Amino acid sequence: MAVDLAHPPHVADLARRTAQFVREVVLPAEERNRAAVPSEALRRELQDAARAAGVFAPHVSAEYGGHGLDMRGRAAVFEEAGYSLLGPLALNIAAPDEGNMHLLEAVATEAQKERYLRPLATGEIRSCFAMTEPAPGAGSDPRALTTRAERIDGGWRIQGHKWFITGADGAGFAICMARTSGTPGDAGGATMFLVDADNPGMKIVRHIETLDESLFGGHVEMVFENCEVPDEAVLGAVDQGFQYAQVRLGPARMTHCMRWLGIARHAQDLAVRRSAERELFGSRLGDLGMTQQAIADSEIDIAASRGLILQACWELDQGRSAGQSTAIAKTFCAEAVWRVVDRSLQICGALGVSGDIALSRFLREVRPFRIYDGPSETHRWAIARRTLRRHTAAQAEAGAQATAATQAEAQAGAPAQ
Ligand SMILES: Cc1cc2nc3c(=O)[nH]c(=O)nc-3n(C[C@H](O)[C@H](O)[C@H](O)COP(=O)(O)OP(=O)(O)OC[C@H]3O[C@@H](n4cnc5c(N)ncnc54)[C@H](O)[C@@H]3O)c2cc1C
């Protein structure tokens, strides 16, 4: 049976126009602003240009000014935007805002949507997602959450310490995960709170110096000290924060994969161009067998990543949890993207290490992806546990069927064997 993987015409058209926008507007802007950290003025300039080109906010529903693409549609468009480090910022689909918009659309009340989602979707404000804590708090294991929120008259008081919170500096609000019941180690008892940036109880301690530089606003350490918020600041239901985190994390993992796949393609293009131009040992670099192997392996990594992303996105679009397929896709893509950029840099020799082309920058930017959105080891652990559970369930099912058959035979008077 033939399987049609073609995107519908409106998605294909948006992906084509996004690729054109990135090529004609974003890449030249990136070239002009080679400074590591993009400025707020550049963010606004690029977002205005994306709006004018009709490619802004492809993920948000039309009610909030977007194109309302499903996850499979996002896969096509986000990959094109991700071809440039600045592309996602221009389309307003960069982390963490894109994942927060997805979460707010799914969980927020109408009043919260008007107050937080609408200005976020238009790019008027930015946001952050505050979950991770310094040891011994939440990291790979979110159940270790130590930040607490206690009930006060008409609201809640949050106390806690967070770090690696992307985009917090300059954000209009934070979505903060805090424990409202139980103790660290418990699987439940977390609640999400919407905290306005001007809340005096939410303070940035420092900017953390990191390998990567392109995620807007950097990564900060922050504290919540007697941070009081009203009841209306609760996002969703009390004690359901871990469940809502899954609403955000599965799709957010996939959109990260889509964006970084764009960078992998960009890296491969640079390597292929170099292979076609550079003369070595009497032939083109690209005519040497080991270079061809590297180019072929990168093509395989890119194609396999795209296939795994689409499979997981299809499951998400069907309303399934897609826990296994998003974990498989995330683990594979994070490592495949790294391999592609690393091979591309090797093909380009010293030029690849230099700042004259973007490869050394790409290498720094993609490495942390094997840690955030769940480290590879955490995903492999979860994938293996689900696989073993499936095996145990299949064995129990086979055992139950055998017992039922034996009983049926006994009741029919047949000799049990
Ligand atoms: C660039 C960047 C941006 C980030 N942005 C945000 C953000 O905006 N908001 C936010 O809340 N957090 C953010 N984080 C934090 C990120 O989510 C955490 O780093 C991640 O969850 C891992 O937690 P941890 O760093 O505490 O590592 P730990 O939990 O201490 O884990 C350390 C290592 O243990 C290993 N490991 C994990 N599980 C297993 C296992 N089952 N078996 C064997 N080994 C295992 C892995 O190698 C892992 O790297 C960001 C991190 C980075 C690097």
Side-chain angles (χ1 to χ4, degrees):
M1 188 182 74
V3 178
D4 184 2
L5 291 177
H7 290 290
H10 73 283
V11 173
D13 178 59
L14 189 56
R16 184 190 54 73
R17 287 189 292 113
T18 299
Q20 184 182 358
F21 172 71
V22 166
R23 201 169 51 244
E24 293 176 0
V25 179
V26 184
L27 288 172
E30 191 168 289
E31 195 52 39
R32 281 196 307 276
N33 298 273
R34 292 196 99 184
V37 185
S39 66
E40 176 63 15
L42 180 62
R43 179 179 84 90
R44 291 195 179 270
E45 176 194 320
L46 288 174
Q47 293 197 346
D48 285 346
R51 235 175 259 110
V55 296
F56 190 73
H59 57 310
V60 199
S61 63
E63 191 185 346
Y64 297 98
H67 294 260
L69 294 184
D70 62 9
M71 290 300 295
R72 277 167 298 170
R74 289 175 212 187
V77 174
F78 283 31
E79 183 186 323
E80 296 301 343
Y83 196 85
S84 159
L85 289 172
L86 290 177
L89 190 68
L91 269 67
N92 201 18
I93 55 166
D97 291 334
E98 176 267 328
N100 287 345
M101 286 182 239
H102 183 88
L103 177 67
L104 289 167
E105 263 204 282
V107 176
T109 63
E110 285 310 310
Q112 288 170 336
K113 284 181 185 172
E114 281 309 309
R115 181 164 172 182
Y116 298 103
L117 174 58
R118 193 170 292 286
L120 194 57
T122 58
E124 195 185 314
I125 60 169
R126 294 192 295 100
S127 64
C128 66
F129 187 78
M131 164 103 129
T132 305
E133 302 165 340
S140 310
D141 183 0
R143 294 172 308 179
L145 186 72
T146 58
T147 297
R148 296 204 70 90
E150 290 167 355
R151 262 233 158 273
I152 55 172
D153 196 19
W156 297 84
R157 183 185 294 124
I158 308 171
Q159 312 275 8
H161 189 180
K162 303 281 184 185
W163 83 328
F164 268 90
I165 310 308
T166 305
D169 194 2
F173 68 96
I175 299 175
C176 173
M177 283 279 276
R179 190 168 275 293
T180 38
S181 69
T183 53
D186 287 350
T191 301
M192 288 187 178
F193 293 94
L194 292 156
V195 186
D196 292 333
D198 61 2
N199 189 314
M202 183 170 76
K203 296 174 199 145
I204 289 175
V205 176
R206 65 169 175 133
H207 270 263
I208 304 167
E209 197 183 327
T210 58
L211 194 63
D212 66 317
E213 292 162 328
S214 73
L215 288 175
F216 199 83
H219 316 292
V220 309
E221 183 171 344
M222 61 200 299
V223 289
F224 292 82
E225 264 173 12
N226 296 319
C227 178
E228 296 188 2
V229 292
D231 279 325
E232 303 81 68
V234 173
L235 179 57
V238 171
D239 282 349
Q240 299 302 308
F242 287 132
Q243 282 85 331
Y244 299 135
Q246 293 314 313
V247 171
R248 184 185 189 281
L249 286 178
R253 270 176 205 140
M254 291 306 91
T255 53
H256 257 311
C257 290
M258 298 167 195
R259 291 182 291 254
W260 287 131
L261 187 56
I263 283 297
R265 261 181 47 211
H266 193 159
Q268 171 81 330
D269 284 351
L270 291 170
V272 169
R273 195 174 312 147
R274 183 71 174 167
S275 305
E277 289 166 0
R278 175 79 163 128
E279 294 282 336
L280 278 183
F281 303 109
S283 70
R284 292 187 318 169
L285 178 57
D287 293 329
L288 299 172
M290 280 183 273
T291 307
Q292 291 180 342
Q293 176 167 3
I295 290 171
D297 285 348
S298 290
E299 284 297 291
I300 293 167
D301 272 336
I302 290 168
S305 296
R306 194 177 290 126
L308 289 171
I309 291 169
L310 278 175
Q311 167 69 33
C313 286
W314 178 79
E315 288 182 28
L316 288 167
D317 286 337
Q318 304 301 307
R320 303 189 196 173
S321 80
Q324 187 79 332
S325 58
T326 57
I328 290 172
K330 196 278 171 178
T331 308
F332 186 87
C333 289
E335 296 174 4
V337 164
W338 166 264
R339 287 193 294 269
V340 172
V341 177
D342 185 52
R343 281 186 205 111
S344 302
L345 188 145
Q346 187 73 16
I347 286 172
C348 291
L351 178 68
V353 179
S354 76
D356 291 358
I357 58 173
L359 285 171
S360 58
R361 176 85 191 274
F362 289 173
L363 198 75
R364 291 199 302 277
E365 297 295 342
V366 302
R367 180 61 182 86
F369 186 35
R370 283 160 54 192
I371 292 172
Y372 57 74
D373 280 354
S376 293
E377 292 78 3
T378 315
H379 284 303
R380 283 197 167 86
W381 173 74
I383 292 165
R385 277 168 29 120
R386 283 193 205 96
T387 307
L388 288 165
R389 271 203 301 271
R390 204 171 58 215
H391 171 77
T392 309
Q395 281 210 317
E397 168 84 15
Q401 279 176 4
T403 308
T406 308
Q407 284 170 351
E409 281 173 8
Q411 275 175 5
Q417 304 222 358

